Amino acid sequence: MSQAILDVNEKPSTGQLITLSFQHMFAMFGSTILVPQLVGLSPAIALLTSGIATIIFLFITKFQVPAYLGSSFAFIAPIIIATNGGTDPGNAMIGAMFVGLVYGIVSLVIWKSGHKWIMKLLPAIVVGPVIMVIGLGLSGVAVDMAMNIPVGDTGLKEYSFLHFSAALVTLFTAIFCTIYFKNILSTMPILIGLVVGYIYSAIIGIINFTPVKEAKMFALPDFLIPGVHYEFDVTFRILLIMVPIVIVTISEHIGHQLVLGKVVDRDYIKEPGLHRSLLGDGLGTFASALIGGPPKTTYGENIGVLAITRVYSVYVIMGAAVVAILLSFFGKAMAIISTIPTAVLGGVSILLFGIIAASGLRMLVEANVDFGNSRNLVIASVILVIGIGGAKFIVSESLSIEGMALAAIIGVVLNLVLPGRKEAEVPATKTIE
């Protein structure tokens, strides 16, 4: 580990705190607002709840873990399905609350029985292909957003070279930042891509600035409260769409804790304990859903910023959370975000969803998964085809398991029942970053 400029519990000066908090928050900003934009939720609520969830996480982990919680990309497809294309967001909120409860149950079991069992339950051969399904399953959405625009109120779409050019400018800007930028800028390719794509879109005239002109300087985010904005109606359909995704997000969380521990020279699996960090993540997701925000997860971008700046202070993380909360009430800024063209979102999504898919492949490579072993070949093949192909297990008209959720469940089951498990298995949590 490189010498820390500010260690985990060191307090920066007031000037440092303000500057470093803004810097850290904007490194998280692009990913945090992109998820709600893609699934039809409020970016303001996403920012507000990311700040709240981060503060909850810091309290639960006794201010020992410098982690920032942002919107989870793993839940994009499930949210779209659960909300019936964005028309009923309350369903996604109910599902996310139960995701948070599952985190709590898992953290309780880990507290009582240790963490080794979950490492064995989530090997790379299961989690890697499921992560690939997340990225590849959304690839069609990204390309459609980048190329096509609606034709009036017909529900049809047509190809637009003008909009596709905005997507390409956004995409290649994000790629350039990823490859060539160093230091703190290298952690913000999504944000920089969105900004450049937005400026280009304004130049070619495909942005309607009316919402920005009409927006108030300060405004309340669009809350979604159960019993007020939607009926709290729990169904098996919602649970089966959302809850199985924790197979991936819990594995992702453990991986982040391992890598973060290496960066700041601590063992977070032992102290404050995996049960505490998982509980913090789960409570953050539950609190987010309670007021209309998307599910939360610890961010890889956060680890990148810590590694580059060598500023590990939890006070800076807390400051970034406060900045996010304050920014969510800035009406003009939120209005600008709402005017980002779909093509620009599509352009950055092409890179982002591709990286998600490639990270699943990378996990398999780094774990040295042997595809000469027919067991591994079968598990990966079934997960990929069921997940990307959109297979459904229909129990009744109102109850079905489909797509990524079904693929994840079948992957876990196959790994448990097929012979040769001990010889073939490599924990996924050793290779996630």
Side-chain angles (χ1 to χ4, degrees):
M1 181 195 74
S2 301
Q3 176 106 19
I5 293 175
L6 284 171
D7 207 356
V8 174
N9 294 116
E10 287 188 71
K11 292 183 179 180
S13 66
T14 302
Q16 284 180 318
L17 178 61
I18 294 172
T19 303
L20 293 172
S21 295
F22 269 93
Q23 173 181 269
H24 201 95
M25 189 269 149
F26 278 111
M28 312 297 121
F29 183 83
S31 297
T32 299
I33 66 164
L34 182 58
V35 172
Q37 285 288 86
L38 294 176
V39 300
L41 297 177
S42 164
I45 279 290
L47 274 179
L48 174 64
T49 54
S50 74
I52 292 172
T54 299
I55 292 172
I56 290 173
F57 181 88
L58 291 174
F59 272 100
I60 296 296
T61 56
K62 302 186 291 187
F63 290 89
Q64 294 182 22
V65 184
Y68 188 93
L69 272 61
S71 306
S72 174
F73 284 89
F75 288 94
I76 291 176
I79 289 175
I80 292 173
I81 296 171
T83 60
N84 300 314
T87 59
D88 193 3
N91 284 340
M93 299 304 105
I94 294 169
M97 289 179 208
F98 277 87
V99 166
L101 289 176
V102 170
Y103 267 79
I105 293 170
V106 172
S107 66
L108 179 62
V109 175
I110 291 174
W111 179 46
K112 291 296 184 181
S113 62
H115 63 268
K116 291 184 179 179
W117 66 271
I118 198 166
M119 301 289 198
K120 294 180 180 179
L121 185 67
L122 301 172
I125 189 56
V126 172
V127 179
V130 173
I131 291 174
M132 293 173 70
V133 166
I134 294 172
L136 295 176
L138 291 167
S139 59
V141 174
V143 172
D144 179 68
M145 292 171 64
M147 293 196 313
N148 302 318
I149 59 173
V151 181
D153 297 326
T154 63
L156 301 175
K157 291 185 176 183
E158 65 179 8
Y159 174 81
S160 169
F161 174 77
L162 195 62
H163 286 74
F164 192 36
S165 70
L168 292 177
V169 168
T170 306
L171 172 61
F172 287 120
T173 300
I175 291 173
F176 184 87
C177 294
T178 302
I179 300 298
Y180 294 106
F181 281 13
K182 305 297 181 185
N183 301 323
I184 191 68
L185 291 177
S186 67
T187 66
M188 295 187 281
I190 295 173
L191 177 60
I192 296 172
L194 288 173
V195 170
V196 173
Y198 190 87
I199 293 171
Y200 175 80
S201 298
I203 293 172
I204 64 176
I206 62 172
I207 298 179
N208 177 14
F209 288 103
T210 302
V212 180
K213 296 175 183 177
E214 295 177 349
K216 296 179 180 178
M217 187 61 69
F218 299 101
L220 288 174
D222 297 324
F223 292 98
L224 284 173
I225 310 297
V228 177
H229 298 104
Y230 62 90
E231 294 295 325
F232 192 81
D233 183 20
V234 181
T235 66
F236 279 113
R237 175 181 177 272
I238 296 171
L239 299 184
L240 289 173
I241 290 170
M242 298 283 289
V243 171
I245 310 307
V246 300
I247 292 170
V248 174
T249 55
I250 287 178
S251 183
E252 178 186 44
H253 174 96
I254 298 170
H256 283 166
Q257 294 302 100
L258 291 170
V259 176
L260 179 60
K262 291 178 183 177
V263 171
V264 303
D265 197 25
R266 286 164 173 80
D267 187 349
Y268 286 133
I269 303 299
K270 291 184 178 179
E271 181 61 36
L274 181 59
H275 63 288
R276 278 188 172 273
S277 62
L278 271 175
L279 179 61
D281 205 334
L283 287 177
T285 291
F286 186 89
S288 173
L290 204 58
I291 59 175
K296 296 295 182 273
T297 185
T298 49
Y299 260 13
E301 290 92 331
N302 173 75
I303 298 172
V305 174
L306 295 182
I308 290 169
T309 63
R310 290 181 289 133
V311 173
Y312 310 145
S313 173
V314 291
Y315 295 96
V316 172
I317 305 296
M318 176 71 83
V322 172
V323 170
I325 292 171
L326 294 176
L327 186 59
S328 70
F329 291 92
F330 189 26
K332 289 289 186 184
M334 295 302 103
I336 291 172
I337 291 171
S338 72
T339 62
I340 298 175
T342 301
V344 171
L345 297 174
V348 77
S349 296
I350 290 173
L351 176 63
L352 190 61
F353 296 159
I355 288 176
I356 292 172
S359 67
L361 180 60
R362 174 185 172 187
M363 177 185 294
L364 296 171
V365 172
E366 292 187 350
N368 295 317
V369 173
D370 179 14
F371 280 101
N373 183 313
S374 57
R375 182 184 191 278
N376 290 336
L377 191 63
V378 166
I379 293 173
S381 301
V382 171
I383 290 173
L384 288 171
V385 173
I386 286 179
I388 298 172
K392 294 183 181 180
F393 183 77
I394 299 176
V395 180
S396 65
E397 289 185 6
S398 59
L399 179 59
S400 65
I401 315 172
E402 55 189 281
M404 187 199 316
L406 180 60
I409 292 171
I410 289 179
V412 169
V413 171
L414 286 176
N415 178 63
L416 292 175
V417 302
L418 291 180
R421 176 180 163 196
K422 290 184 179 180
E423 293 79 8
E425 189 171 278
V426 179
T429 49
K430 288 184 178 181
T431 55
I432 299 176
E433 293 188 5

